[in-house]
Amino acid sequence: MTMALDNPVLLVVFAAVFFYVLYGVIRAAVRDAILQADEGRKHAGEDHNKPISQFRR
């Protein structure tokens, strides 16, 4: 009896599924970090979304 990973097609399928799940985890982590940073800026009273011209005198 051969192992499933001996078949190159199954190896590619397993690798594709692994990297797809990894992509989803990283994407969710980045999204949550961006939302957390926005909340922190809101509570600190900072607005980094203003155009640069508003900071000039």
Side-chain angles (χ1 to χ4, degrees):
M1 189 164 157
T2 61
M3 303 243 342
L5 294 181
D6 289 339
N7 187 343
V9 174
L10 286 178
L11 182 62
V12 169
V13 169
F14 284 136
V17 169
F18 171 78
F19 284 114
Y20 183 74
V21 170
L22 183 64
Y23 166 76
V25 169
I26 292 172
R27 184 176 174 186
V30 169
R31 181 197 64 218
D32 292 344
I34 290 171
L35 291 175
Q36 186 178 11
D38 287 344
E39 284 293 319
R41 278 190 237 126
K42 188 189 315 182
H43 291 298
E46 301 173 4
D47 188 6
H48 293 286
N49 294 324
K50 291 180 182 176
I52 294 175
S53 62
Q54 291 185 2
F55 292 109
R56 295 182 182 153
R57 292 181 184 223

